[in-house]
Amino acid sequence: MSEAPLLITRAHLVDPSQNYDGPASILIEDGKISAVEKSASKMNVPADMKVIDASGLHVFPGLVDMRVHIGEPGSEYRETIASASAAAAAGGVTSFVMMPDTDPVIDEVSLVDYVRRAARDNADVRLYPSAAVTKGFAGNELTEFGLLKEAGAVMLSEAKHSIRNTLTLRRALTYARDFDMLISKETSDPYLSANGVMNEGLNATHLGLSGIPKEAEIIALERDLRIAALTRGKYHAAKISTADSAEAIARYKDKGAKVSAGISINNLSLNENDIGRYRTFFRLSPPLRSEEDREAMIAALNDGTIDIIVSSHDPQDVDTKRHPFAEAADGAIGLETLLAAALRLHHNDQVSLSRLVEALSTRPAELLGLNAGSLKPGYLADLCLVDINRPWVCSEETIRSLSKNTPFEGARFSGKVLQTLVGGRSIFTDNA
Amino acid sequence: MFKLPFPPIAHYLMDHSQKNLPADIVPPYPGYTFEHLHLLGIADLSPHDIKYLLDRADAAISVSRQIEKKKVTLRGRTQINLFFEASTRTQSSFELAGKRLGADVMNMSVGSSSVKKGETLIDTAMTLNAMQPDLLVVRHHSAGAAELLAQKVGCSVINAGDGAHEHPTQALLDALTIRRHLGSVERQTVAICGDILHSRVARSNIILLNALGARVRVIAPSTLLPSGIERFGVEVFNRMEDGLPGCDVVMMLRLQRERMEGALIPSVREYFHYFGLDARKLKLANPGALVMHPGPMNRGVEISSEVADGTQSVIQEQVEMGVALRMAVIETLIETSDRLSQKRSKESKT
């Protein structure tokens, strides 16, 4: 089915891939961008087209979220591919990478295939599977990187698990190089962070909770970076949270290692004080750090040390969250609030709009080599129309995820996605 | 004329000769009411609240010393002791306190059995809540558990120890003991020694003693000190020899051997050698310094029998104060809850 051509006029386009931030009209034909001009009058427009007047609205390339946990297969009560897709669409996310920590673990070609078929049938946004680095996350045998890539896995990851054996990590990075596969890894020393449930320090001591020292992150990260430099493999530190980590990433980037870094939107928006009195929705991994660390992370995002921002969407239901803090599960949902929370940084004059769009869309697409993150002619017409000043309040009733564990419950945002397009087709319209 | 809601702080913290205090009379503070529905931690209390509870406990001591030990103030009320961690002392102390006030007391030792059956803390709490108790006394191995329960149930909750967070009644009874022996808590130098890292008693005591104007020291091997402890308003020492001189009170903590994950201390022998309180180390403190221990003691680990049973030890008295203090807390919370529900029903009528 081919859609009628679509013209978006009088928009304010922010597209870091074209280094552009200004007025634009965008013509979409056959699900692709066919022309982008300052004004529609310069275009040869087809006669039978539909027109969206985007006066006062911003247009961003659709967000690309490199870290989304879903419960399908295995825990469909937490989140299905369909519900995650709906949440993503409402948040302006048009592509995301699904983490392999389902049940069963995505470590085989047939499972990648299953995810792709389920996504084709149930998801409106583009869902890209990632695959485990080692079979069953056991940290011993490598999965079939080449075949997994051919089946459609775009990235390798051990999800929340670490690779304890450094030799295994070395072999994985070396072997992945042959297939040009990116390995994305969480960085936490499993011994130093054992039993820890929040940032170590005065707050943890006050609450009587065991802490995770910042050193747990940098020790694991330094090890990984050294192995990445040694093997020349493509390494991505999935979620960093401390100034030391940013410094290490910058150092290895200077040396020319193929390393990149991501950060969870939560570590950019919140700090350990938000935990208040044992609010388990703020129990996250990496833990929320101090305000100084949050500010250091914003600086690292601005100077390009941190490449991308992820939602780290991790649906948990009451069974895993309604416990005393130390017994609750890590994680928060974030697909629907990713852009709104990021726009806070823009409204606070901390990060420019184009840098945010770059980190949320252009750069992750580049890292994975996806046809996304850009609205140059020829690219897929995945985009979102955003009123960056529209106020709204995040509330449990309107959340589309099956799980409601958002740390932004009741939060006031400025900036709402009004429409989301995937392949030129509207998949979400804000009716409010 | 402008009137202060409370007497000036200096007056209020002034020494207070308990021996002359008439039984059953609570010293009045003009305009003061205890406003807390729950007792979850010392951190929630103002110095006034602490003082008020201690004064009431003072008055309650006489009840336990009478032949007829029972009051009827809480007749018809139900108190449930919900203990997820085994405890003989605290549980029986709460039980006795409730019974002496005339309440019906039910003990629930949940242990780990229900948890293994898959029942969550909240489920257990909701089940108990449906039985309409007036008071829930909770001990749990996780920090914040009492707080979580308090949000979910419709009655007053007393935290009888939650993980490494707080154990407020223990700190209050310790303060009561100190006050009765030394006249006041203010300006006393108190050393808290041993496993600070895992100790809720230490956290509650540090907050309370600071609130009442004591000088607090902690003495422990560095592996048993939580991070940031120096910002709690305490002086930190790693050797008993450095920390004990000048102390009026030496508070020993139980070495929580069941919580020692990994290499925190190499051996009990070495621990006792450096940190166990024996007669020689006690001599370093001020003459007549009080020796305290929240119990149960590991004799020969953190304290020698000679000291534990010696003349300076007030460990048995702490147990007695525990019952009186808990009576005061239970009575106070029930009064608050009655007052609040009366206020609510009045409001709903108007």
Side-chain angles (χ1 to χ4, degrees):
Chain A
M1 183 187 85
S2 144
E3 302 246 337
L6 177 68
L7 180 70
I8 301 172
T9 62
R10 290 182 236 183
H12 184 112
L13 172 67
V14 179
D15 185 354
S17 72
Q18 307 181 62
N19 215 353
Y20 188 77
D21 184 349
S25 289
I26 301 153
L27 182 64
I28 297 164
E29 285 176 297
D30 295 329
K32 290 182 182 157
I33 308 290
S34 66
V36 181
E37 294 291 346
K38 273 209 166 74
S39 155
S41 57
K42 291 178 186 162
M43 286 183 198
N44 295 321
V45 292
D48 60 339
M49 66 180 181
K50 287 194 283 186
V51 178
I52 296 177
D53 181 357
S55 307
L57 300 183
H58 280 71
V59 168
F60 304 145
L63 310 194
V64 180
D65 190 343
M66 244 172 77
R67 197 172 179 88
V68 174
H69 300 269
I70 300 184
E72 185 174 347
S75 325
E76 284 83 355
Y77 60 96
R78 284 188 200 167
E79 193 85 290
T80 60
I81 284 174
S83 66
S85 164
V93 176
T94 54
S95 306
F96 66 75
V97 177
M98 174 175 145
M99 300 311 288
D101 57 341
T102 46
D103 183 13
V105 174
I106 311 292
D107 57 1
E108 265 187 54
V109 170
S110 59
L111 288 161
V112 172
D113 204 47
Y114 164 80
V115 172
R116 288 195 62 197
R117 273 183 288 114
R120 181 195 63 203
D121 296 342
N122 302 314
D124 288 329
V125 303
R126 301 183 203 277
L127 185 158
Y128 295 96
S130 61
V133 181
T134 66
K135 283 183 187 154
F137 297 143
N140 305 320
E141 288 174 77
L142 299 187
T143 55
E144 300 158 319
F145 295 177
L147 294 175
L148 287 165
K149 183 176 182 176
E150 278 188 37
V154 296
M155 183 177 93
L156 297 165
S157 170
E158 290 285 85
K160 298 171 189 172
H161 303 259
S162 59
I163 299 175
R164 293 187 187 213
N165 186 334
T166 315
L167 183 59
T168 308
L169 177 67
R170 177 181 182 177
R171 287 180 179 151
L173 275 163
T174 309
Y175 190 65
R177 196 184 65 201
D178 296 346
F179 296 97
D180 196 30
M181 284 284 265
L182 181 72
I183 294 187
S184 164
K185 235 184 115 282
E186 241 184 55
T187 45
S188 182
D189 183 85
Y191 302 103
L192 259 184
S193 59
N195 308 316
V197 297
M198 70 174 287
N199 189 32
E200 184 172 291
L202 190 63
N203 278 355
T205 301
H206 261 299
L207 292 170
L209 296 171
S210 9
I212 302 172
K214 293 174 188 173
E215 285 69 20
E217 180 169 301
I218 187 66
I219 287 170
L221 180 64
E222 283 275 7
R223 177 196 76 154
D224 290 2
L225 290 172
R226 279 175 190 268
I227 299 297
L230 173 71
T231 58
R232 288 172 286 120
K234 272 164 80 176
Y235 172 84
H236 178 73
K239 293 188 283 181
I240 65 168
S241 66
T242 73
D244 282 346
S245 301
E247 185 273 326
I249 297 276
R251 187 153 30 86
Y252 276 87
K253 279 186 171 176
D254 283 348
K255 284 186 195 172
K258 287 186 240 168
V259 299
S260 54
I263 184 165
S264 153
I265 186 66
N266 300 316
N267 289 90
L268 283 173
S269 314
L270 308 165
N271 67 31
E272 58 178 349
N273 297 322
D274 288 302
I275 290 168
R277 300 197 66 159
Y278 307 103
R279 290 156 70 186
T280 54
F281 284 6
F282 294 81
R283 182 173 166 178
L284 303 169
S285 173
L288 293 174
R289 302 284 186 186
S290 66
E291 179 61 11
E292 292 76 54
D293 282 305
R294 190 183 77 91
E295 283 168 357
M297 291 297 96
I298 293 172
L301 177 66
N302 273 324
D303 69 24
T305 303
I306 292 178
D307 295 85
I308 67 161
I309 304 171
V310 295
S311 70
S312 197
H313 183 83
D314 188 358
Q316 300 287 341
D317 70 347
V318 289
D319 289 352
T320 48
K321 278 293 189 186
R322 226 170 59 160
H323 288 289
F325 198 85
E327 290 160 32
D330 288 327
I333 57 168
L335 277 168
E336 282 170 77
T337 46
L338 173 62
L339 181 60
L343 283 172
R344 277 183 174 177
L345 301 172
H346 163 69
H347 292 304
N348 293 343
D349 287 329
Q350 287 171 310
V351 186
S352 72
L353 209 48
S354 63
R355 178 68 194 115
L356 285 177
V357 175
E358 189 181 8
L360 287 165
S361 177
T362 313
R363 188 72 184 124
E366 262 171 32
L367 284 176
L368 297 177
L370 305 179
N371 181 342
S374 170
L375 297 181
K376 282 182 196 161
Y379 272 79
L380 292 170
D382 297 354
L383 56 87
C384 54
L385 280 78
V386 184
D387 179 347
I388 65 162
N389 294 315
R390 173 172 303 198
W392 63 287
V393 178
C394 174
S395 92
E396 198 183 293
E397 289 89 63
T398 56
I399 288 173
R400 286 160 185 81
S401 283
L402 295 183
S403 296
K404 311 295 179 193
N405 56 316
T406 171
F408 294 109
E409 167 71 25
R412 282 149 214 282
F413 290 119
S414 291
K416 189 145 189 16
V417 176
L418 299 187
Q419 196 168 5
T420 306
L421 270 57
V422 169
R425 190 169 67 93
S426 175
I427 57 160
F428 167 80
T429 315
D430 183 77
N431 297 316
Chain B
M1 175 70 194
F2 175 71
K3 262 177 83 183
L4 287 169
F6 301 101
I9 193 98
H11 164 81
Y12 157 78
L13 287 172
M14 226 167 52
D15 291 7
H16 187 76
S17 160
Q18 282 76 31
K19 280 164 199 143
N20 303 333
L21 204 85
D24 261 335
I25 291 194
V26 171
Y29 313 119
Y32 173 83
T33 41
F34 187 88
E35 296 286 358
H36 303 275
L37 189 55
H38 312 291
L39 180 64
L40 302 175
I42 299 294
D44 303 329
L45 303 180
S46 71
H48 300 285
D49 296 330
I50 295 169
K51 186 82 182 327
Y52 176 77
L53 290 175
L54 294 183
D55 288 346
R56 280 195 78 146
D58 254 327
I61 292 168
S62 60
V63 177
S64 300
R65 290 185 177 169
Q66 292 162 8
I67 297 172
E68 169 60 56
K69 294 187 175 60
K70 200 146 177 169
K71 289 173 77 177
V72 292
T73 37
L74 295 191
R75 193 166 55 194
R77 304 302 181 99
T78 308
Q79 170 189 337
I80 299 182
N81 294 339
L82 178 58
F83 279 61
F84 290 87
E85 253 182 6
S87 151
T88 321
R89 303 166 156 256
T90 310
Q91 185 167 339
S92 32
S93 180
F94 270 109
E95 184 175 353
L96 209 50
K99 284 183 172 162
R100 285 189 178 162
L101 290 168
D104 298 321
V105 184
M106 190 177 109
N107 286 319
M108 291 267 300
S109 296
V110 187
S112 50
S113 64
S114 276
V115 179
K116 275 183 198 141
K117 284 179 204 153
E119 190 171 65
T120 67
L121 171 65
I122 305 274
D123 291 336
T124 312
M126 294 320 283
T127 309
L128 293 179
N129 194 43
M131 299 175 188
Q132 304 286 348
D134 298 282
L135 183 71
L136 215 51
V137 178
V138 186
R139 167 167 290 189
H140 196 275
H141 46 81
S142 259
E147 178 122 13
L148 184 62
L149 276 187
Q151 290 163 9
K152 304 286 172 189
V153 299
C155 64
S156 287
V157 174
I158 297 179
N159 179 6
D162 61 331
H165 178 223
E166 283 228 43
H167 188 355
T169 54
Q170 179 69 43
L172 285 163
L173 75 88
D174 289 344
L176 185 64
T177 311
I178 294 173
R179 209 173 74 163
R180 288 178 66 85
H181 274 272
L182 304 179
S184 86
V185 175
E186 195 190 4
R187 298 215 191 90
Q188 308 293 352
T189 302
V190 182
I192 304 175
C193 317
D195 183 0
I196 312 285
L197 179 66
H198 298 102
S199 177
R200 50 197 172 216
V201 175
R203 279 179 184 70
S204 288
N205 259 311
I206 290 169
I207 301 168
L208 188 150
L209 292 168
N210 269 314
L212 293 191
R215 291 183 59 187
V216 188
R217 297 175 178 178
V218 296
I219 312 175
S222 294
T223 45
L224 293 180
L225 286 169
S227 104
I229 188 73
E230 65 290 343
R231 287 160 70 194
F232 268 64
V234 298
E235 292 173 87
V236 181
F237 295 91
N238 300 120
R239 283 164 48 90
M240 297 288 266
E241 288 73 12
D242 298 337
L244 286 180
C247 283
D248 304 301
V249 178
V250 184
M251 202 181 272
M252 301 306 298
L253 298 172
R254 195 167 67 87
L255 186 69
Q256 304 204 20
R257 281 186 282 183
E258 68 277 12
R259 284 182 206 198
M260 296 288 162
E261 299 124 346
L264 288 168
I265 53 160
S267 75
V268 164
R269 187 174 73 160
E270 179 158 308
Y271 183 79
F272 183 73
H273 182 76
Y274 290 109
F275 294 96
L277 188 67
D278 54 18
R280 180 185 64 83
K281 294 197 192 92
L282 183 57
K283 281 208 187 90
L284 299 168
N286 283 348
L290 302 182
V291 173
M292 303 177 77
H293 194 296
M297 286 183 279
N298 296 310
R299 288 169 185 262
V301 178
E302 69 262 355
I303 192 163
S304 74
S305 285
E306 187 190 2
V307 170
D309 307 330
T311 51
Q312 286 168 261
S313 163
V314 293
I315 296 170
Q316 293 310 314
E317 198 178 328
Q318 283 175 276
V319 179
E320 188 195 351
M321 292 304 121
V323 178
L325 185 277
R326 285 167 183 133
M327 285 171 71
V329 169
I330 292 170
E331 231 176 357
T332 307
L333 291 184
I334 296 282
E335 280 169 19
T336 313
S337 130
D338 287 352
R339 200 171 59 241
L340 290 178
S341 60
Q342 270 169 18
K343 204 172 148 194
R344 262 200 301 274
S345 65
K346 249 186 221 162
E347 278 167 7
S348 64
K349 271 175 201 158
T350 52

